[in-house]
Amino acid sequence: MVITWTVAAFILCGCGLTTALTMLDSMSDYVNHPCVRQCEEGIPNRRCEYHWTLEMYYVLSKACYDCPFNLTDCSRPHCVPADGTSRGILTANRRIPGPGIQVCHGDEIIVNVYNKLENSQGTSIHWHGLLQRGSQYMDGTSMVTQCPITTHSTFQYRFTAKDRGTHFWHSHAGLQRADGLFGSLIVRQPPSHDIHSPLYDFDLPEHVIIVTDWLNELVTSRFASHHHDDGDNKAESMLINGKGAFTPHTDPTTGARVFTPYADFTVRPTFRYRFRVISSGIMNCPIQFSIDNHTLIVIASDGGDFDPIIVDSFNIFSGERFDFILIADKTEELKNYWVRARGIADCSVKKSQQLAVLRYTGAPPGLPELATNYEAGNREGITLNPLNARATDTLVSVNLLNSTEPDDDSLKQVPDKRFYLAMDFNQVDNFHFHHPGLYPLKSVIQGKHLYSPQINHISFSSTAVPPLTQMKDIDEDATFCNNETVQEQCDKQFCECSHRLKVALNDVVELIIIDEGLLFNANHPMHLHGYKFRVVGMDRLNTTISLEEVRALDRAGRLPRKLSRAPLKDTVTVPDGGYTIIRFKADNPGIWLFHCHIAFHGEIGMALLIQAGNTSELPQVPKNFPTCNNWKFSSFESSPQTSLEEVNKVCTSFNPSTNSASINVYGYIWCLFIICIPLSRDILFAVFSQS
């Protein structure tokens, strides 16, 4: 018996060792994944599988050894140097950014997510920019397209990379993206299919850039402080590809101040390179991006190609992506140059910025000589995608770009559905933060006022179940709302519900999005799941504007629309005191989130759902797809154990021939069946436990 259980123990230990090794293997960054390749026409597509472990982690952990005093240590596996500020983070495979996915158009992507997040946090992963046509349940929007992935469980995402371009993935549960759960997702195509391929020589995986503003503490702490007290919501720092210099460290040997390393990007003189820039921004912090002494030839945004435009810098808002070509033409004297990410809007308060290094092959080692201060990042010249400004000769709004994609049905003269959506911070007693009877807005000091970012004076609240998967469990009339169905005067009191707009399948939908600009000169980058839209109009009209004024202007024909070659995007800014008009054809059945991509704004309700198609037209739910719901006690399930009373009753009464109550052979046979099987199970369990 001892030998038997010893063998069993070795088998179990072997399984445990295999699991541990699998977990260590899952910490890969996938830089050398076989799907990272040159895409070629006529070559079969590949199956690209990834294993991610999500967990709470720490900047400059023990894995970093002597970083930043020994910069080589900063590149050790599992070392996250960030900007040198020690703080808790959330990671996939102990990396920030998380593992990048680089595939070819048409490849199958399979991502196995293992949720090991502490505090029993649920999670989900959204594939920002992939429309999930035919795989709507893989969109990864917590409580819209799926239940959260519960702690210590796994979920497999599986879909085809049908949408070419520069995209990214990030957690879509709470504020997790803001603490590090994000990474790149690039879908390339063969050069013969890329209209811009003659303009560049190289499109390298290492030239993907993710920028984000960065806080010096876990974002949930800052969220609580800002919303329930008077804590600020301004980012201190930024990251470029998870790196940067911000917090100094004192070398114990020399006393010198040292910093964590910058990201760097290498180019060879005279060649042309395609760069891909992604913003995973957190706060109201657009980022002005530029490279010293170089102009940028911008060719695409959010996966949508357009006629090339030469600029000195561009602003990138949270959720946006821009592709540009850099010509490495500084050949007379080889130098290194600063890549600059300069935060504007709220990030200007603390002069948040970050730097990276553009290194020319053959240039002397070391850092560039030019100034590193915040003001030096304010590049003069032509800027694409301005913040809250009218278009001028030097400020180019994205609606002025000319798409290279053929015109489609969404650009017809009159849409099938038109919605006016007014956004702002509204002065109402949002009971989550201002209890009307205890601490209303009027009774607390100005510095502790919390104004609610809303759409049409409605704060979005998730349903108790994901509507895409469990619409049958929802009382639609009692749950969903819009500004035509709410009964209250929402401009005077707080309104919260599951804000939903319904459109028929294949409707051409127009959204006129208005930022009324009543309280702050803020900004809201709006992201639509499930679709790319045409940006047909955009302008800043005044410092403030009302929905009624915009309606009147539209009736008078004073909101011009670009109905040919309008650019394709999935995330777009709305000028404060102005409007943006977008169009899309609702040909992707499903329930899709439309929301502000600023983490705090979306989290407290600046969102709504767009349902394309009736319930019968929604896609079929995958077999055994996870479900969730409300619960309250009703009764206990029947016990799997048979009680002694039941045993006695059966043994003394079961006689099929006479139905007598006496003990008989039939009763004993039945007793052996219902007693011995559970008893033998319990005996075996006890023996195994003692051994």
Side-chain angles (χ1 to χ4, degrees):
M1 177 65 75
V2 173
I3 294 174
T4 303
W5 291 119
T6 302
V7 172
F10 270 109
I11 293 172
L12 291 170
C13 288
C15 293
L17 179 59
T18 302
T19 302
L21 291 174
T22 301
M23 180 179 173
L24 288 173
D25 181 64
S26 75
M27 296 300 174
S28 169
D29 57 10
Y30 296 108
V31 168
N32 298 314
H33 195 285
C35 289
V36 182
R37 67 198 193 276
Q38 174 70 41
C39 302
E40 300 178 54
E41 191 171 5
I43 301 300
N45 288 114
R46 296 187 182 181
R47 183 175 182 265
C48 307
E49 189 162 6
Y50 309 85
H51 300 272
W52 296 353
T53 298
L54 310 187
E55 59 188 335
M56 183 172 284
Y57 200 51
Y58 205 72
V59 170
L60 293 174
S61 69
K62 62 176 70 73
C64 293
Y65 283 79
D66 205 26
C67 173
F69 309 118
N70 179 349
L71 292 183
T72 303
D73 283 347
C74 299
S75 299
R76 285 178 173 270
H78 300 186
C79 178
V80 180
D83 65 354
T85 304
S86 296
R87 52 155 291 185
I89 51 177
L90 303 180
T91 62
N93 292 4
R94 297 190 176 178
R95 300 178 56 82
I96 292 182
I101 294 176
Q102 307 222 11
V103 299
C104 292
H105 186 253
D107 284 351
E108 183 182 27
I109 296 175
I110 301 172
V111 182
N112 301 290
V113 176
Y114 176 28
N115 180 7
K116 278 202 66 181
L117 294 172
E118 280 74 6
N119 302 324
S120 297
Q121 295 183 66
T123 191
S124 67
I125 302 295
H126 170 54
W127 317 95
H128 189 116
L130 298 191
L131 309 185
Q132 301 297 352
R133 293 180 185 273
S135 52
Q136 289 88 337
Y137 295 94
M138 298 292 107
D139 188 56
T141 312
S142 181
M143 297 311 296
V144 176
T145 62
Q146 70 173 95
C147 300
I149 307 168
T150 55
T151 186
H152 298 296
S153 68
T154 62
F155 186 94
Q156 184 182 85
Y157 291 96
R158 183 188 291 255
F159 51 87
T160 302
K162 299 178 181 178
D163 305 292
R164 56 182 169 75
T166 302
H167 312 302
F168 72 121
W169 61 264
H170 60 80
S171 169
H172 216 298
L175 301 167
Q176 293 172 358
R177 169 175 65 89
D179 281 319
L181 283 180
F182 60 86
S184 61
L185 200 173
I186 311 302
V187 181
R188 291 186 173 84
Q189 56 187 335
S192 57
H193 295 180
D194 180 2
I195 192 172
H196 292 311
S197 63
L199 301 180
Y200 59 87
D201 303 303
F202 298 103
D203 176 13
L204 303 177
E206 57 265 34
H207 286 167
V208 175
I209 302 173
I210 302 183
V211 295
T212 184
D213 46 322
W214 191 244
L215 304 184
N216 61 12
E217 61 184 323
L218 278 168
V219 177
T220 49
S221 178
R222 186 70 65 87
F223 178 89
S225 170
H226 175 66
H227 289 84
H228 294 288
D229 194 31
D230 60 352
D232 76 65
N233 60 346
K234 312 297 189 290
E236 290 81 13
S237 178
M238 290 187 162
L239 300 178
I240 298 179
N241 282 4
K243 296 181 178 180
F246 179 70
T247 298
H249 294 253
T250 303
D251 190 316
T253 304
T254 65
R257 294 201 331 159
V258 297
F259 293 87
T260 43
Y262 297 107
D264 55 26
F265 309 95
T266 300
V267 296
R268 291 161 54 196
T270 73
F271 288 97
R272 305 165 301 169
Y273 294 86
R274 180 174 188 157
F275 281 78
R276 301 168 181 267
V277 184
I278 301 161
S279 173
S280 184
I282 303 167
M283 301 297 191
N284 177 27
C285 184
I287 295 171
Q288 183 181 10
F289 184 94
S290 64
I291 300 178
D292 286 355
N293 290 44
H294 292 76
T295 54
L296 313 175
I297 306 172
V298 188
I299 58 173
S301 181
D302 302 355
D305 292 325
F306 46 74
D307 289 346
I309 177 173
I310 300 175
V311 303
D312 297 283
S313 67
F314 58 81
N315 292 332
I316 185 167
F317 298 82
S318 177
E320 287 189 308
R321 292 88 68 207
F322 282 97
D323 294 22
F324 68 86
I325 295 167
L326 179 136
I327 301 175
D329 56 0
K330 310 305 177 191
T331 58
E332 292 184 5
E333 181 183 359
L334 294 179
K335 294 181 180 180
N336 299 319
Y337 297 89
W338 287 122
V339 177
R340 299 184 188 266
R342 172 180 173 265
I344 51 182
D346 281 2
C347 272
S348 67
V349 175
K350 297 180 180 179
K351 298 185 177 181
S352 305
Q353 66 157 348
Q354 196 50 261
L355 303 169
V357 182
L358 179 71
R359 297 191 180 277
Y360 271 71
T361 301
L367 300 177
E369 298 174 354
L370 295 177
T372 61
N373 58 305
Y374 174 81
E375 288 73 18
N378 189 12
R379 181 74 175 268
E380 294 182 353
I382 297 174
T383 299
L384 174 63
N385 204 20
L387 167 66
N388 295 341
R390 304 198 75 170
T392 67
D393 290 341
T394 58
L395 297 176
V396 182
S397 298
V398 295
N399 63 301
L400 301 179
L401 301 170
N402 292 313
S403 174
T404 60
E405 300 290 331
D407 291 348
D408 52 46
D409 292 346
S410 67
L411 296 174
K412 69 180 185 179
Q413 194 65 33
V414 180
D416 300 304
K417 295 284 194 314
R418 175 176 289 153
F419 300 95
Y420 292 85
L421 304 176
M423 308 185 302
D424 214 327
F425 294 92
N426 295 314
Q427 300 183 68
V428 292
D429 281 322
N430 180 334
F431 57 79
H432 298 291
F433 310 108
H434 282 283
H435 190 288
L438 300 176
Y439 36 92
L441 280 167
K442 64 183 180 182
S443 69
V444 300
I445 63 172
Q446 178 75 26
K448 297 192 177 187
H449 285 191
L450 194 286
Y451 304 127
S452 298
Q454 298 180 307
I455 300 177
N456 282 351
H457 291 276
I458 297 172
S459 288
F460 177 78
S461 176
S462 293
T463 52
V465 300
L468 183 65
T469 59
Q470 294 179 246
M471 186 66 86
K472 61 181 176 55
D473 297 324
I474 296 175
D475 182 342
E476 294 192 50
D477 292 335
T479 302
F480 296 115
C481 76
N482 56 53
N483 61 305
E484 296 178 353
T485 63
V486 290
Q487 303 299 313
E488 296 84 359
Q489 292 181 300
C490 297
D491 58 336
K492 296 180 174 60
Q493 64 188 64
F494 180 62
C495 289
E496 181 181 47
C497 56
S498 297
H499 195 172
R500 179 184 67 171
L501 304 177
K502 287 188 71 173
V503 299
L505 205 57
N506 295 315
D507 270 351
V508 170
V509 181
E510 181 178 89
L511 304 181
I512 302 173
I513 315 160
I514 305 147
D515 188 332
E516 295 184 301
L518 296 178
L519 294 176
F520 311 113
N521 188 26
N523 178 266
H524 304 287
M526 302 301 293
H527 172 54
L528 177 61
H529 294 224
Y531 295 98
K532 290 204 182 300
F533 48 71
R534 299 276 186 169
V535 184
V536 300
M538 177 187 290
D539 199 3
R540 189 181 196 193
L541 303 174
N542 209 329
T543 53
T544 62
I545 193 75
S546 70
L547 183 150
E548 291 73 21
E549 289 175 292
V550 172
R551 278 183 183 271
L553 289 171
D554 202 14
R555 285 194 297 267
R558 295 174 58 190
L559 294 189
R561 290 164 173 82
K562 181 177 181 175
L563 298 182
S564 180
R565 302 192 67 192
L568 278 163
K569 284 176 63 63
D570 57 54
T571 308
V572 69
T573 181
V574 182
D576 188 84
Y579 67 89
T580 295
I581 306 174
I582 65 174
R583 291 269 195 98
F584 63 95
K585 184 176 181 179
D587 56 1
N588 190 10
I591 299 176
W592 306 105
L593 192 64
F594 179 60
H595 66 105
C596 177
H597 214 262
I598 294 172
F600 283 12
H601 299 177
E603 181 64 15
I604 67 172
M606 200 169 210
L608 56 78
L609 299 175
I610 295 178
Q611 179 175 332
N614 295 320
T615 303
S616 61
E617 296 172 308
L618 297 180
Q620 186 177 9
V621 182
K623 185 178 180 180
N624 298 323
F625 201 77
T627 60
C628 48
N629 211 334
N630 294 321
W631 180 87
K632 65 179 181 179
F633 179 81
S634 58
S635 62
F636 289 107
E637 292 184 357
S638 58
S639 173
Q641 298 281 351
T642 305
S643 69
L644 291 176
E645 282 187 350
E646 291 172 323
V647 170
N648 184 58
K649 182 178 179 181
V650 169
C651 290
T652 58
S653 66
F654 183 66
N655 188 327
S657 59
T658 64
N659 199 29
S660 66
S662 60
I663 297 175
N664 56 76
V665 67
Y666 294 101
Y668 277 120
I669 293 171
W670 184 244
C671 288
L672 286 171
F673 180 78
I674 63 175
I675 295 174
C676 291
I677 292 176
L679 182 61
S680 63
R681 179 200 62 194
D682 293 340
I683 292 170
L684 288 172
F685 178 79
V687 171
F688 180 81
S689 301
Q690 291 173 3
S691 302

